[in-house]
Every structure is written in structure tokens, then in C-alpha cells.
PDB file of all heavy atoms in Angstrom:
ATOM      1  N   PHE V   1     -17.868  -3.610 -17.606  1.00 94.00           N
ATOM      2  CA  PHE V   1     -17.684  -2.158 -17.600  1.00 94.00           C
ATOM      3  C   PHE V   1     -17.620  -1.664 -16.152  1.00 94.00           C
ATOM      4  O   PHE V   1     -17.815  -2.438 -15.217  1.00 94.00           O
ATOM      5  CB  PHE V   1     -18.763  -1.422 -18.416  1.00 94.00           C
ATOM      6  CG  PHE V   1     -20.182  -1.560 -17.914  1.00 94.00           C
ATOM      7  CD1 PHE V   1     -20.657  -0.780 -16.874  1.00 94.00           C
ATOM      8  CD2 PHE V   1     -21.060  -2.443 -18.518  1.00 94.00           C
ATOM      9  CE1 PHE V   1     -21.965  -0.877 -16.427  1.00 94.00           C
ATOM     10  CE2 PHE V   1     -22.372  -2.559 -18.090  1.00 94.00           C
ATOM     11  CZ  PHE V   1     -22.825  -1.770 -17.040  1.00 94.00           C
ATOM     12  N   SER V   2     -17.315  -0.376 -15.981  1.00 94.00           N
ATOM     13  CA  SER V   2     -17.112   0.211 -14.649  1.00 94.00           C
ATOM     14  C   SER V   2     -16.090  -0.586 -13.839  1.00 94.00           C
ATOM     15  O   SER V   2     -16.295  -0.896 -12.670  1.00 94.00           O
ATOM     16  CB  SER V   2     -18.441   0.304 -13.894  1.00 94.00           C
ATOM     17  OG  SER V   2     -19.298   1.246 -14.483  1.00 94.00           O
ATOM     18  N   LYS V   3     -14.972  -0.894 -14.481  1.00 94.00           N
ATOM     19  CA  LYS V   3     -13.948  -1.686 -13.818  1.00 94.00           C
ATOM     20  C   LYS V   3     -13.098  -0.816 -12.878  1.00 94.00           C
ATOM     21  O   LYS V   3     -12.795   0.329 -13.184  1.00 94.00           O
ATOM     22  CB  LYS V   3     -13.049  -2.367 -14.851  1.00 94.00           C
ATOM     23  CG  LYS V   3     -13.774  -3.442 -15.653  1.00 94.00           C
ATOM     24  CD  LYS V   3     -12.818  -4.184 -16.574  1.00 94.00           C
ATOM     25  CE  LYS V   3     -13.533  -5.316 -17.291  1.00 94.00           C
ATOM     26  NZ  LYS V   3     -12.627  -6.105 -18.149  1.00 94.00           N
ATOM     27  N   CYS V   4     -12.744  -1.390 -11.748  1.00 95.00           N
ATOM     28  CA  CYS V   4     -11.879  -0.712 -10.784  1.00 95.00           C
ATOM     29  C   CYS V   4     -11.279  -1.782  -9.888  1.00 95.00           C
ATOM     30  O   CYS V   4     -11.463  -2.984 -10.114  1.00 95.00           O
ATOM     31  CB  CYS V   4     -12.670   0.315  -9.969  1.00 95.00           C
ATOM     32  SG  CYS V   4     -13.974  -0.418  -8.945  1.00 95.00           S
ATOM     33  N   ARG V   5     -10.557  -1.361  -8.875  1.00 96.00           N
ATOM     34  CA  ARG V   5     -10.019  -2.302  -7.904  1.00 96.00           C
ATOM     35  C   ARG V   5     -10.114  -1.662  -6.519  1.00 96.00           C
ATOM     36  O   ARG V   5     -10.188  -0.437  -6.393  1.00 96.00           O
ATOM     37  CB  ARG V   5      -8.567  -2.651  -8.229  1.00 96.00           C
ATOM     38  CG  ARG V   5      -7.627  -1.469  -8.354  1.00 96.00           C
ATOM     39  CD  ARG V   5      -6.306  -1.876  -9.005  1.00 96.00           C
ATOM     40  NE  ARG V   5      -5.377  -0.750  -9.091  1.00 96.00           N
ATOM     41  CZ  ARG V   5      -5.356   0.124 -10.097  1.00 96.00           C
ATOM     42  NH1 ARG V   5      -6.207   0.000 -11.099  1.00 96.00           N
ATOM     43  NH2 ARG V   5      -4.474   1.114 -10.116  1.00 96.00           N
ATOM     44  N   LEU V   6     -10.170  -2.478  -5.505  1.00 97.00           N
ATOM     45  CA  LEU V   6     -10.149  -1.997  -4.128  1.00 97.00           C
ATOM     46  C   LEU V   6      -8.771  -2.293  -3.557  1.00 97.00           C
ATOM     47  O   LEU V   6      -8.342  -3.451  -3.522  1.00 97.00           O
ATOM     48  CB  LEU V   6     -11.236  -2.681  -3.291  1.00 97.00           C
ATOM     49  CG  LEU V   6     -12.579  -1.942  -3.224  1.00 97.00           C
ATOM     50  CD1 LEU V   6     -13.254  -1.986  -4.577  1.00 97.00           C
ATOM     51  CD2 LEU V   6     -13.474  -2.532  -2.153  1.00 97.00           C
ATOM     52  N   SER V   7      -8.100  -1.235  -3.151  1.00 97.00           N
ATOM     53  CA  SER V   7      -6.696  -1.357  -2.754  1.00 97.00           C
ATOM     54  C   SER V   7      -6.399  -0.635  -1.452  1.00 97.00           C
ATOM     55  O   SER V   7      -7.087   0.321  -1.071  1.00 97.00           O
ATOM     56  CB  SER V   7      -5.794  -0.785  -3.849  1.00 97.00           C
ATOM     57  OG  SER V   7      -5.922  -1.506  -5.049  1.00 97.00           O
ATOM     58  N   ILE V   8      -5.360  -1.105  -0.805  1.00 97.00           N
ATOM     59  CA  ILE V   8      -4.798  -0.392   0.340  1.00 97.00           C
ATOM     60  C   ILE V   8      -3.700   0.526  -0.176  1.00 97.00           C
ATOM     61  O   ILE V   8      -2.868   0.124  -0.998  1.00 97.00           O
ATOM     62  CB  ILE V   8      -4.234  -1.379   1.373  1.00 97.00           C
ATOM     63  CG1 ILE V   8      -5.374  -2.196   1.995  1.00 97.00           C
ATOM     64  CG2 ILE V   8      -3.445  -0.641   2.461  1.00 97.00           C
ATOM     65  CD1 ILE V   8      -4.920  -3.317   2.900  1.00 97.00           C
ATOM     66  N   ALA V   9      -3.732   1.761   0.274  1.00 97.00           N
ATOM     67  CA  ALA V   9      -2.702   2.735  -0.110  1.00 97.00           C
ATOM     68  C   ALA V   9      -2.161   3.396   1.144  1.00 97.00           C
ATOM     69  O   ALA V   9      -2.893   3.621   2.111  1.00 97.00           O
ATOM     70  CB  ALA V   9      -3.284   3.784  -1.055  1.00 97.00           C
ATOM     71  N   ILE V  10      -0.873   3.702   1.108  1.00 97.00           N
ATOM     72  CA  ILE V  10      -0.209   4.301   2.265  1.00 97.00           C
ATOM     73  C   ILE V  10       0.522   5.570   1.826  1.00 97.00           C
ATOM     74  O   ILE V  10       0.774   5.770   0.631  1.00 97.00           O
ATOM     75  CB  ILE V  10       0.797   3.322   2.909  1.00 97.00           C
ATOM     76  CG1 ILE V  10       1.963   3.063   1.947  1.00 97.00           C
ATOM     77  CG2 ILE V  10       0.109   2.015   3.280  1.00 97.00           C
ATOM     78  CD1 ILE V  10       3.111   2.266   2.567  1.00 97.00           C
ATOM     79  N   PRO V  11       0.862   6.449   2.768  1.00 97.00           N
ATOM     80  CA  PRO V  11       1.654   7.641   2.410  1.00 97.00           C
ATOM     81  C   PRO V  11       2.995   7.234   1.796  1.00 97.00           C
ATOM     82  O   PRO V  11       3.611   6.254   2.225  1.00 97.00           O
ATOM     83  CB  PRO V  11       1.849   8.354   3.748  1.00 97.00           C
ATOM     84  CG  PRO V  11       0.688   7.910   4.579  1.00 97.00           C
ATOM     85  CD  PRO V  11       0.439   6.478   4.182  1.00 97.00           C
ATOM     86  N   GLU V  12       3.424   7.963   0.801  1.00 96.00           N
ATOM     87  CA  GLU V  12       4.681   7.649   0.120  1.00 96.00           C
ATOM     88  C   GLU V  12       5.865   7.638   1.085  1.00 96.00           C
ATOM     89  O   GLU V  12       6.815   6.873   0.894  1.00 96.00           O
ATOM     90  CB  GLU V  12       4.918   8.655  -1.011  1.00 96.00           C
ATOM     91  CG  GLU V  12       3.950   8.489  -2.175  1.00 96.00           C
ATOM     92  CD  GLU V  12       4.254   9.436  -3.321  1.00 96.00           C
ATOM     93  OE1 GLU V  12       5.094  10.342  -3.133  1.00 96.00           O
ATOM     94  OE2 GLU V  12       3.654   9.267  -4.399  1.00 96.00           O
ATOM     95  N   ARG V  13       5.793   8.431   2.124  1.00 95.00           N
ATOM     96  CA  ARG V  13       6.906   8.495   3.080  1.00 95.00           C
ATOM     97  C   ARG V  13       7.101   7.182   3.846  1.00 95.00           C
ATOM     98  O   ARG V  13       8.175   6.928   4.413  1.00 95.00           O
ATOM     99  CB  ARG V  13       6.681   9.638   4.086  1.00 95.00           C
ATOM    100  CG  ARG V  13       5.459   9.462   4.965  1.00 95.00           C
ATOM    101  CD  ARG V  13       5.280  10.601   5.968  1.00 95.00           C
ATOM    102  NE  ARG V  13       4.107  10.417   6.801  1.00 95.00           N
ATOM    103  CZ  ARG V  13       2.885  10.816   6.478  1.00 95.00           C
ATOM    104  NH1 ARG V  13       2.682  11.445   5.320  1.00 95.00           N
ATOM    105  NH2 ARG V  13       1.863  10.602   7.295  1.00 95.00           N
ATOM    106  N   ASN V  14       6.058   6.341   3.877  1.00 96.00           N
ATOM    107  CA  ASN V  14       6.134   5.062   4.591  1.00 96.00           C
ATOM    108  C   ASN V  14       6.441   3.880   3.676  1.00 96.00           C
ATOM    109  O   ASN V  14       6.489   2.732   4.126  1.00 96.00           O
ATOM    110  CB  ASN V  14       4.813   4.783   5.315  1.00 96.00           C
ATOM    111  CG  ASN V  14       4.467   5.831   6.352  1.00 96.00           C
ATOM    112  OD1 ASN V  14       3.406   6.431   6.318  1.00 96.00           O
ATOM    113  ND2 ASN V  14       5.396   6.061   7.279  1.00 96.00           N
ATOM    114  N   LEU V  15       6.664   4.152   2.393  1.00 95.00           N
ATOM    115  CA  LEU V  15       6.790   3.078   1.413  1.00 95.00           C
ATOM    116  C   LEU V  15       8.012   2.197   1.674  1.00 95.00           C
ATOM    117  O   LEU V  15       7.926   0.967   1.576  1.00 95.00           O
ATOM    118  CB  LEU V  15       6.858   3.661  -0.001  1.00 95.00           C
ATOM    119  CG  LEU V  15       6.835   2.649  -1.142  1.00 95.00           C
ATOM    120  CD1 LEU V  15       5.574   1.787  -1.084  1.00 95.00           C
ATOM    121  CD2 LEU V  15       6.933   3.349  -2.484  1.00 95.00           C
ATOM    122  N   GLU V  16       9.123   2.795   2.016  1.00 95.00           N
ATOM    123  CA  GLU V  16      10.344   2.019   2.253  1.00 95.00           C
ATOM    124  C   GLU V  16      10.148   1.051   3.412  1.00 95.00           C
ATOM    125  O   GLU V  16      10.530  -0.131   3.336  1.00 95.00           O
ATOM    126  CB  GLU V  16      11.518   2.952   2.540  1.00 95.00           C
ATOM    127  CG  GLU V  16      12.843   2.213   2.691  1.00 95.00           C
ATOM    128  CD  GLU V  16      14.024   3.156   2.890  1.00 95.00           C
ATOM    129  OE1 GLU V  16      13.850   4.391   2.700  1.00 95.00           O
ATOM    130  OE2 GLU V  16      15.115   2.662   3.242  1.00 95.00           O
ATOM    131  N   GLU V  17       9.518   1.525   4.472  1.00 95.00           N
ATOM    132  CA  GLU V  17       9.260   0.665   5.634  1.00 95.00           C
ATOM    133  C   GLU V  17       8.284  -0.458   5.263  1.00 95.00           C
ATOM    134  O   GLU V  17       8.457  -1.602   5.677  1.00 95.00           O
ATOM    135  CB  GLU V  17       8.690   1.499   6.782  1.00 95.00           C
ATOM    136  CG  GLU V  17       8.506   0.709   8.067  1.00 95.00           C
ATOM    137  CD  GLU V  17       7.918   1.563   9.185  1.00 95.00           C
ATOM    138  OE1 GLU V  17       7.640   2.754   8.943  1.00 95.00           O
ATOM    139  OE2 GLU V  17       7.733   1.013  10.285  1.00 95.00           O
ATOM    140  N   TYR V  18       7.256  -0.134   4.453  1.00 95.00           N
ATOM    141  CA  TYR V  18       6.286  -1.144   4.036  1.00 95.00           C
ATOM    142  C   TYR V  18       6.963  -2.227   3.195  1.00 95.00           C
ATOM    143  O   TYR V  18       6.672  -3.415   3.343  1.00 95.00           O
ATOM    144  CB  TYR V  18       5.146  -0.495   3.243  1.00 95.00           C
ATOM    145  CG  TYR V  18       3.996  -1.450   2.970  1.00 95.00           C
ATOM    146  CD1 TYR V  18       2.893  -1.494   3.820  1.00 95.00           C
ATOM    147  CD2 TYR V  18       4.030  -2.323   1.882  1.00 95.00           C
ATOM    148  CE1 TYR V  18       1.856  -2.381   3.589  1.00 95.00           C
ATOM    149  CE2 TYR V  18       2.998  -3.223   1.650  1.00 95.00           C
ATOM    150  CZ  TYR V  18       1.908  -3.244   2.507  1.00 95.00           C
ATOM    151  OH  TYR V  18       0.882  -4.137   2.274  1.00 95.00           O
ATOM    152  N   ASN V  19       7.861  -1.811   2.325  1.00 94.00           N
ATOM    153  CA  ASN V  19       8.559  -2.778   1.469  1.00 94.00           C
ATOM    154  C   ASN V  19       9.380  -3.776   2.290  1.00 94.00           C
ATOM    155  O   ASN V  19       9.570  -4.926   1.890  1.00 94.00           O
ATOM    156  CB  ASN V  19       9.455  -2.045   0.468  1.00 94.00           C
ATOM    157  CG  ASN V  19       8.650  -1.345  -0.612  1.00 94.00           C
ATOM    158  OD1 ASN V  19       7.514  -1.709  -0.875  1.00 94.00           O
ATOM    159  ND2 ASN V  19       9.244  -0.334  -1.229  1.00 94.00           N
ATOM    160  N   LYS V  20       9.859  -3.339   3.444  1.00 93.00           N
ATOM    161  CA  LYS V  20      10.634  -4.225   4.309  1.00 93.00           C
ATOM    162  C   LYS V  20       9.739  -5.191   5.081  1.00 93.00           C
ATOM    163  O   LYS V  20      10.056  -6.364   5.246  1.00 93.00           O
ATOM    164  CB  LYS V  20      11.464  -3.395   5.301  1.00 93.00           C
ATOM    165  CG  LYS V  20      12.597  -2.604   4.666  1.00 93.00           C
ATOM    166  CD  LYS V  20      13.331  -1.781   5.716  1.00 93.00           C
ATOM    167  CE  LYS V  20      14.455  -0.966   5.087  1.00 93.00           C
ATOM    168  NZ  LYS V  20      15.143  -0.114   6.103  1.00 93.00           N
ATOM    169  N   LEU V  21       8.597  -4.674   5.551  1.00 94.00           N
ATOM    170  CA  LEU V  21       7.721  -5.462   6.426  1.00 94.00           C
ATOM    171  C   LEU V  21       6.596  -6.178   5.690  1.00 94.00           C
ATOM    172  O   LEU V  21       5.997  -7.108   6.231  1.00 94.00           O
ATOM    173  CB  LEU V  21       7.108  -4.548   7.502  1.00 94.00           C
ATOM    174  CG  LEU V  21       8.081  -3.858   8.452  1.00 94.00           C
ATOM    175  CD1 LEU V  21       7.323  -2.923   9.383  1.00 94.00           C
ATOM    176  CD2 LEU V  21       8.866  -4.887   9.259  1.00 94.00           C
ATOM    177  N   GLY V  22       6.286  -5.750   4.459  1.00 94.00           N
ATOM    178  CA  GLY V  22       5.129  -6.295   3.765  1.00 94.00           C
ATOM    179  C   GLY V  22       3.851  -5.852   4.444  1.00 94.00           C
ATOM    180  O   GLY V  22       3.822  -4.831   5.145  1.00 94.00           O
ATOM    181  N   ASN V  23       2.779  -6.643   4.295  1.00 94.00           N
ATOM    182  CA  ASN V  23       1.512  -6.191   4.886  1.00 94.00           C
ATOM    183  C   ASN V  23       1.502  -6.243   6.415  1.00 94.00           C
ATOM    184  O   ASN V  23       0.562  -5.747   7.044  1.00 94.00           O
ATOM    185  CB  ASN V  23       0.326  -6.966   4.308  1.00 94.00           C
ATOM    186  CG  ASN V  23       0.404  -8.460   4.531  1.00 94.00           C
ATOM    187  OD1 ASN V  23       1.048  -8.933   5.462  1.00 94.00           O
ATOM    188  ND2 ASN V  23      -0.268  -9.220   3.666  1.00 94.00           N
ATOM    189  N   LYS V  24       2.536  -6.795   7.018  1.00 96.00           N
ATOM    190  CA  LYS V  24       2.640  -6.760   8.480  1.00 96.00           C
ATOM    191  C   LYS V  24       2.759  -5.319   8.991  1.00 96.00           C
ATOM    192  O   LYS V  24       2.508  -5.048  10.161  1.00 96.00           O
ATOM    193  CB  LYS V  24       3.849  -7.578   8.957  1.00 96.00           C
ATOM    194  CG  LYS V  24       3.812  -9.057   8.552  1.00 96.00           C
ATOM    195  CD  LYS V  24       2.603  -9.775   9.113  1.00 96.00           C
ATOM    196  CE  LYS V  24       2.611 -11.237   8.720  1.00 96.00           C
ATOM    197  NZ  LYS V  24       1.355 -11.943   9.129  1.00 96.00           N
ATOM    198  N   TRP V  25       3.135  -4.416   8.086  1.00 97.00           N
ATOM    199  CA  TRP V  25       3.211  -2.989   8.446  1.00 97.00           C
ATOM    200  C   TRP V  25       1.861  -2.480   8.932  1.00 97.00           C
ATOM    201  O   TRP V  25       1.786  -1.534   9.735  1.00 97.00           O
ATOM    202  CB  TRP V  25       3.666  -2.190   7.226  1.00 97.00           C
ATOM    203  CG  TRP V  25       3.812  -0.715   7.463  1.00 97.00           C
ATOM    204  CD1 TRP V  25       4.933  -0.055   7.905  1.00 97.00           C
ATOM    205  CD2 TRP V  25       2.820   0.306   7.256  1.00 97.00           C
ATOM    206  NE1 TRP V  25       4.695   1.307   7.986  1.00 97.00           N
ATOM    207  CE2 TRP V  25       3.407   1.550   7.590  1.00 97.00           C
ATOM    208  CE3 TRP V  25       1.500   0.285   6.821  1.00 97.00           C
ATOM    209  CZ2 TRP V  25       2.704   2.759   7.511  1.00 97.00           C
ATOM    210  CZ3 TRP V  25       0.794   1.473   6.739  1.00 97.00           C
ATOM    211  CH2 TRP V  25       1.398   2.704   7.088  1.00 97.00           C
TER     212      TRP V  25
END
């Protein structure tokens, strides 16, 4: 119970750049 995840989140405006670079962004 009390399930969740710990994640990295970025502004939506940077998503395209992140998709190109992966976590190297």
C-alpha cells in the first residue's frame, strides 16, 4: 500500500530537447 514512484520531471517546453539527448540533458 501507499505505492508511488520517485521520478525526474522537466518543464514541458524542454521535452523535445530531452527526447533527443536522453538523460544527458
Side-chain angles (χ1 to χ4, degrees):
F1 63 81
S2 292
K3 292 185 176 183
C4 63
R5 55 194 182 273
L6 268 69
S7 297
I8 293 173
I10 67 172
E12 290 184 350
R13 64 179 180 273
N14 299 124
L15 187 58
E16 184 176 349
E17 185 181 1
Y18 189 94
N19 288 338
K20 291 178 181 178
L21 299 176
N23 59 25
K24 301 300 181 186
W25 181 89

